[in-house]
CSV table of all heavy atoms in Angstrom, one decimal:
chain,number,residue,atom,x,y,z
X,226,LEU,N,-23.3,-1.0,-6.7
X,226,LEU,CA,-21.9,-0.6,-6.6
X,226,LEU,C,-21.2,-1.2,-5.4
X,226,LEU,O,-20.1,-1.8,-5.6
X,226,LEU,CB,-21.8,0.9,-6.6
X,226,LEU,CG,-20.3,1.5,-6.5
X,226,LEU,CD1,-19.5,1.1,-7.7
X,226,LEU,CD2,-20.4,3.0,-6.3
X,227,LYS,N,-21.8,-1.2,-4.3
X,227,LYS,CA,-21.2,-1.8,-3.1
X,227,LYS,C,-21.0,-3.3,-3.2
X,227,LYS,O,-20.0,-3.8,-2.8
X,227,LYS,CB,-22.0,-1.4,-1.8
X,227,LYS,CG,-21.9,0.0,-1.4
X,227,LYS,CD,-22.5,0.3,-0.1
X,227,LYS,CE,-24.0,0.2,-0.1
X,227,LYS,NZ,-24.6,0.6,1.3
X,228,ALA,N,-21.9,-3.9,-3.8
X,228,ALA,CA,-21.8,-5.4,-4.0
X,228,ALA,C,-20.6,-5.7,-4.9
X,228,ALA,O,-19.9,-6.7,-4.6
X,228,ALA,CB,-23.1,-5.9,-4.7
X,229,PHE,N,-20.4,-4.9,-5.9
X,229,PHE,CA,-19.2,-5.2,-6.8
X,229,PHE,C,-17.9,-4.8,-6.1
X,229,PHE,O,-16.9,-5.5,-6.4
X,229,PHE,CB,-19.4,-4.6,-8.2
X,229,PHE,CG,-20.2,-5.5,-9.1
X,229,PHE,CD1,-21.5,-5.4,-9.2
X,229,PHE,CD2,-19.5,-6.5,-9.8
X,229,PHE,CE1,-22.2,-6.2,-10.1
X,229,PHE,CE2,-20.2,-7.3,-10.7
X,229,PHE,CZ,-21.6,-7.2,-10.8
X,230,VAL,N,-17.9,-3.8,-5.3
X,230,VAL,CA,-16.7,-3.5,-4.6
X,230,VAL,C,-16.4,-4.7,-3.6
X,230,VAL,O,-15.2,-5.1,-3.4
X,230,VAL,CB,-16.8,-2.2,-3.8
X,230,VAL,CG1,-15.6,-2.0,-2.9
X,230,VAL,CG2,-16.9,-1.1,-4.8
X,231,GLU,N,-17.4,-5.3,-3.0
X,231,GLU,CA,-17.1,-6.5,-2.2
X,231,GLU,C,-16.6,-7.6,-3.0
X,231,GLU,O,-15.6,-8.3,-2.5
X,231,GLU,CB,-18.5,-6.9,-1.5
X,231,GLU,CG,-19.0,-6.0,-0.4
X,231,GLU,CD,-20.3,-6.5,0.1
X,231,GLU,OE1,-20.8,-7.6,-0.3
X,231,GLU,OE2,-20.8,-5.8,1.0
X,232,ILE,N,-17.1,-7.8,-4.2
X,232,ILE,CA,-16.5,-8.8,-5.1
X,232,ILE,C,-15.1,-8.6,-5.4
X,232,ILE,O,-14.2,-9.5,-5.4
X,232,ILE,CB,-17.4,-8.9,-6.4
X,232,ILE,CG1,-18.8,-9.4,-6.0
X,232,ILE,CG2,-16.7,-9.8,-7.4
X,232,ILE,CD1,-19.8,-9.2,-7.1
X,233,ILE,N,-14.8,-7.3,-5.7
X,233,ILE,CA,-13.4,-7.0,-6.1
X,233,ILE,C,-12.5,-7.3,-4.9
X,233,ILE,O,-11.4,-7.8,-5.1
X,233,ILE,CB,-13.3,-5.5,-6.5
X,233,ILE,CG1,-14.0,-5.3,-7.8
X,233,ILE,CG2,-11.9,-5.0,-6.5
X,233,ILE,CD1,-14.2,-3.8,-8.2
X,234,ARG,N,-12.9,-6.9,-3.7
X,234,ARG,CA,-12.1,-7.2,-2.5
X,234,ARG,C,-11.8,-8.7,-2.4
X,234,ARG,O,-10.7,-9.1,-2.0
X,234,ARG,CB,-12.8,-6.6,-1.3
X,234,ARG,CG,-12.0,-6.8,0.0
X,234,ARG,CD,-10.7,-6.0,0.1
X,234,ARG,NE,-9.6,-6.8,-0.2
X,234,ARG,CZ,-8.3,-6.3,-0.2
X,234,ARG,NH1,-8.1,-5.0,0.1
X,234,ARG,NH2,-7.3,-7.1,-0.5
X,235,GLN,N,-12.8,-9.5,-2.6
X,235,GLN,CA,-12.6,-10.9,-2.4
X,235,GLN,C,-11.7,-11.4,-3.5
X,235,GLN,O,-10.8,-12.2,-3.1
X,235,GLN,CB,-14.0,-11.6,-2.6
X,235,GLN,CG,-13.9,-13.1,-2.4
X,235,GLN,CD,-15.2,-13.9,-2.7
X,235,GLN,OE1,-16.1,-13.3,-3.3
X,235,GLN,NE2,-15.3,-15.1,-2.2
X,236,TYR,N,-11.8,-11.0,-4.7
X,236,TYR,CA,-10.9,-11.4,-5.7
X,236,TYR,C,-9.4,-11.0,-5.4
X,236,TYR,O,-8.5,-11.8,-5.6
X,236,TYR,CB,-11.3,-10.9,-7.1
X,236,TYR,CG,-12.6,-11.4,-7.6
X,236,TYR,CD1,-13.4,-12.3,-6.9
X,236,TYR,CD2,-13.1,-11.0,-8.9
X,236,TYR,CE1,-14.6,-12.8,-7.4
X,236,TYR,CE2,-14.3,-11.5,-9.4
X,236,TYR,CZ,-15.0,-12.4,-8.6
X,236,TYR,OH,-16.2,-12.8,-9.1
X,237,LEU,N,-9.2,-9.8,-4.9
X,237,LEU,CA,-7.9,-9.4,-4.5
X,237,LEU,C,-7.3,-10.4,-3.5
X,237,LEU,O,-6.2,-10.7,-3.5
X,237,LEU,CB,-7.9,-8.0,-4.0
X,237,LEU,CG,-8.0,-6.9,-5.1
X,237,LEU,CD1,-8.4,-5.5,-4.4
X,237,LEU,CD2,-6.7,-6.8,-5.9
X,238,ASP,N,-8.2,-10.7,-2.5
X,238,ASP,CA,-7.8,-11.6,-1.4
X,238,ASP,C,-7.3,-13.0,-1.9
X,238,ASP,O,-6.5,-13.6,-1.3
X,238,ASP,CB,-8.9,-11.7,-0.4
X,238,ASP,CG,-9.2,-10.5,0.4
X,238,ASP,OD1,-8.3,-9.6,0.4
X,238,ASP,OD2,-10.3,-10.3,1.0
X,239,HIS,N,-7.9,-13.4,-3.0
X,239,HIS,CA,-7.5,-14.7,-3.6
X,239,HIS,C,-6.4,-14.6,-4.6
X,239,HIS,O,-6.2,-15.6,-5.3
X,239,HIS,CB,-8.8,-15.4,-4.2
X,239,HIS,CG,-9.8,-15.8,-3.1
X,239,HIS,ND1,-9.5,-16.8,-2.2
X,239,HIS,CD2,-11.1,-15.4,-2.9
X,239,HIS,CE1,-10.5,-17.0,-1.4
X,239,HIS,NE2,-11.5,-16.2,-1.8
X,240,GLY,N,-5.8,-13.5,-4.8
X,240,GLY,CA,-4.6,-13.4,-5.6
X,240,GLY,C,-4.8,-12.8,-7.0
X,240,GLY,O,-3.9,-12.8,-7.8
X,241,VAL,N,-6.0,-12.3,-7.3
X,241,VAL,CA,-6.2,-11.7,-8.6
X,241,VAL,C,-5.5,-10.4,-8.7
X,241,VAL,O,-5.5,-9.6,-7.8
X,241,VAL,CB,-7.7,-11.5,-8.9
X,241,VAL,CG1,-8.0,-10.6,-10.2
X,241,VAL,CG2,-8.5,-12.8,-9.0
X,242,LYS,N,-4.7,-10.2,-9.8
X,242,LYS,CA,-3.9,-9.0,-10.1
X,242,LYS,C,-4.6,-8.1,-11.1
X,242,LYS,O,-4.6,-6.9,-11.0
X,242,LYS,CB,-2.5,-9.4,-10.5
X,242,LYS,CG,-1.7,-8.1,-10.8
X,242,LYS,CD,-0.3,-8.5,-11.4
X,242,LYS,CE,0.5,-7.3,-11.7
X,242,LYS,NZ,1.8,-7.6,-12.3
X,243,THR,N,-5.2,-8.8,-12.2
X,243,THR,CA,-5.7,-8.0,-13.3
X,243,THR,C,-7.2,-8.3,-13.4
X,243,THR,O,-7.7,-9.4,-13.3
X,243,THR,CB,-5.0,-8.4,-14.6
X,243,THR,OG1,-3.6,-8.2,-14.5
X,243,THR,CG2,-5.6,-7.6,-15.8
X,244,PHE,N,-8.0,-7.2,-13.5
X,244,PHE,CA,-9.4,-7.3,-13.6
X,244,PHE,C,-9.9,-6.9,-15.0
X,244,PHE,O,-9.6,-5.8,-15.5
X,244,PHE,CB,-10.1,-6.3,-12.6
X,244,PHE,CG,-9.9,-6.7,-11.2
X,244,PHE,CD1,-8.7,-6.3,-10.5
X,244,PHE,CD2,-10.8,-7.4,-10.5
X,244,PHE,CE1,-8.5,-6.6,-9.2
X,244,PHE,CE2,-10.6,-7.7,-9.1
X,244,PHE,CZ,-9.4,-7.4,-8.5
X,245,ARG,N,-10.5,-7.9,-15.6
X,245,ARG,CA,-11.1,-7.6,-17.0
X,245,ARG,C,-12.5,-7.2,-16.8
X,245,ARG,O,-13.4,-8.1,-16.4
X,245,ARG,CB,-11.0,-8.9,-17.8
X,245,ARG,CG,-11.6,-8.8,-19.2
X,245,ARG,CD,-11.5,-10.2,-19.9
X,245,ARG,NE,-12.0,-10.2,-21.2
X,245,ARG,CZ,-13.3,-10.5,-21.5
X,245,ARG,NH1,-14.2,-10.7,-20.6
X,245,ARG,NH2,-13.7,-10.6,-22.8
X,246,LEU,N,-12.9,-6.0,-17.1
X,246,LEU,CA,-14.2,-5.5,-16.9
X,246,LEU,C,-15.0,-5.9,-18.1
X,246,LEU,O,-15.0,-5.2,-19.2
X,246,LEU,CB,-14.3,-4.0,-16.7
X,246,LEU,CG,-13.4,-3.4,-15.6
X,246,LEU,CD1,-13.7,-2.0,-15.3
X,246,LEU,CD2,-13.6,-4.2,-14.3
X,247,ASP,N,-15.8,-7.0,-18.0
X,247,ASP,CA,-16.5,-7.6,-19.1
X,247,ASP,C,-17.7,-6.7,-19.5
X,247,ASP,O,-18.5,-6.3,-18.7
X,247,ASP,CB,-17.0,-9.0,-18.8
X,247,ASP,CG,-17.8,-9.6,-19.8
X,247,ASP,OD1,-17.3,-9.9,-20.9
X,247,ASP,OD2,-19.1,-9.8,-19.6
X,248,ALA,N,-17.8,-6.4,-20.8
X,248,ALA,CA,-19.0,-5.7,-21.4
X,248,ALA,C,-19.3,-4.4,-20.7
X,248,ALA,O,-20.5,-4.0,-20.6
X,248,ALA,CB,-20.2,-6.6,-21.4
X,249,VAL,N,-18.3,-3.8,-20.2
X,249,VAL,CA,-18.5,-2.6,-19.3
X,249,VAL,C,-19.1,-1.4,-20.0
X,249,VAL,O,-19.7,-0.6,-19.4
X,249,VAL,CB,-17.2,-2.2,-18.6
X,249,VAL,CG1,-16.2,-1.6,-19.6
X,249,VAL,CG2,-17.4,-1.3,-17.5
X,250,ALA,N,-18.9,-1.4,-21.4
X,250,ALA,CA,-19.4,-0.2,-22.1
X,250,ALA,C,-21.0,-0.1,-22.0
X,250,ALA,O,-21.5,1.0,-22.2
X,250,ALA,CB,-19.1,-0.4,-23.6
X,251,PHE,N,-21.7,-1.2,-21.6
X,251,PHE,CA,-23.1,-1.1,-21.6
X,251,PHE,C,-23.6,-0.9,-20.2
X,251,PHE,O,-24.8,-1.0,-19.9
X,251,PHE,CB,-23.7,-2.5,-22.1
X,251,PHE,CG,-23.3,-2.8,-23.5
X,251,PHE,CD1,-22.2,-3.6,-23.7
X,251,PHE,CD2,-23.9,-2.3,-24.6
X,251,PHE,CE1,-21.7,-4.0,-25.0
X,251,PHE,CE2,-23.5,-2.6,-25.9
X,251,PHE,CZ,-22.4,-3.5,-26.1
X,252,LEU,N,-22.8,-0.6,-19.2
X,252,LEU,CA,-23.1,-0.6,-17.8
X,252,LEU,C,-24.2,0.3,-17.4
X,252,LEU,O,-25.1,0.0,-16.7
X,252,LEU,CB,-21.8,-0.3,-17.0
X,252,LEU,CG,-22.0,-0.3,-15.5
X,252,LEU,CD1,-20.7,-1.0,-14.8
X,252,LEU,CD2,-22.1,1.1,-14.9
X,253,TRP,N,-24.2,1.6,-17.9
X,253,TRP,CA,-25.2,2.6,-17.5
X,253,TRP,C,-26.2,2.7,-18.6
X,253,TRP,O,-25.9,2.8,-19.7
X,253,TRP,CB,-24.5,3.9,-17.2
X,253,TRP,CG,-25.3,4.9,-16.4
X,253,TRP,CD1,-26.2,5.8,-16.9
X,253,TRP,CD2,-25.3,5.0,-15.0
X,253,TRP,NE1,-26.8,6.4,-15.9
X,253,TRP,CE2,-26.3,6.0,-14.7
X,253,TRP,CE3,-24.7,4.4,-14.0
X,253,TRP,CZ2,-26.6,6.4,-13.4
X,253,TRP,CZ3,-24.9,4.8,-12.7
X,253,TRP,CH2,-25.9,5.7,-12.4
X,254,LYS,N,-27.5,2.8,-18.1
X,254,LYS,CA,-28.6,2.9,-19.0
X,254,LYS,C,-29.3,4.3,-18.8
X,254,LYS,O,-29.4,4.7,-17.6
X,254,LYS,CB,-29.6,1.8,-18.9
X,254,LYS,CG,-29.2,0.5,-19.4
X,254,LYS,CD,-28.3,-0.3,-18.5
X,254,LYS,CE,-27.9,-1.7,-19.0
X,254,LYS,NZ,-26.9,-2.3,-18.1
X,255,GLN,N,-29.7,4.9,-19.8
X,255,GLN,CA,-30.4,6.2,-19.7
X,255,GLN,C,-31.5,6.3,-20.8
X,255,GLN,O,-31.1,6.1,-22.0
X,255,GLN,CB,-29.4,7.3,-19.8
X,255,GLN,CG,-30.0,8.7,-19.5
X,255,GLN,CD,-28.9,9.7,-19.4
X,255,GLN,OE1,-28.1,9.6,-18.4
X,255,GLN,NE2,-28.9,10.7,-20.3
X,256,ALA,N,-32.7,6.5,-20.5
X,256,ALA,CA,-33.8,6.6,-21.5
X,256,ALA,C,-33.4,7.6,-22.5
X,256,ALA,O,-32.9,8.7,-22.3
X,256,ALA,CB,-35.1,6.9,-20.8
X,257,GLY,N,-33.7,7.2,-23.8
X,257,GLY,CA,-33.5,8.1,-24.9
X,257,GLY,C,-32.1,8.2,-25.4
X,257,GLY,O,-31.8,9.0,-26.3
Side-chain angles (χ1 to χ4, degrees):
L226 177 62
K227 288 192 287 185
F229 272 93
V230 172
E231 289 180 2
I232 293 164
I233 289 169
R234 180 67 261 180
Q235 181 183 21
Y236 292 2
L237 285 167
D238 291 341
H239 288 298
V241 172
K242 177 185 178 183
T243 302
F244 292 83
R245 176 186 182 270
L246 305 189
D247 176 67
V249 70
F251 304 95
L252 181 141
W253 197 270
K254 287 82 176 172
Q255 186 169 298

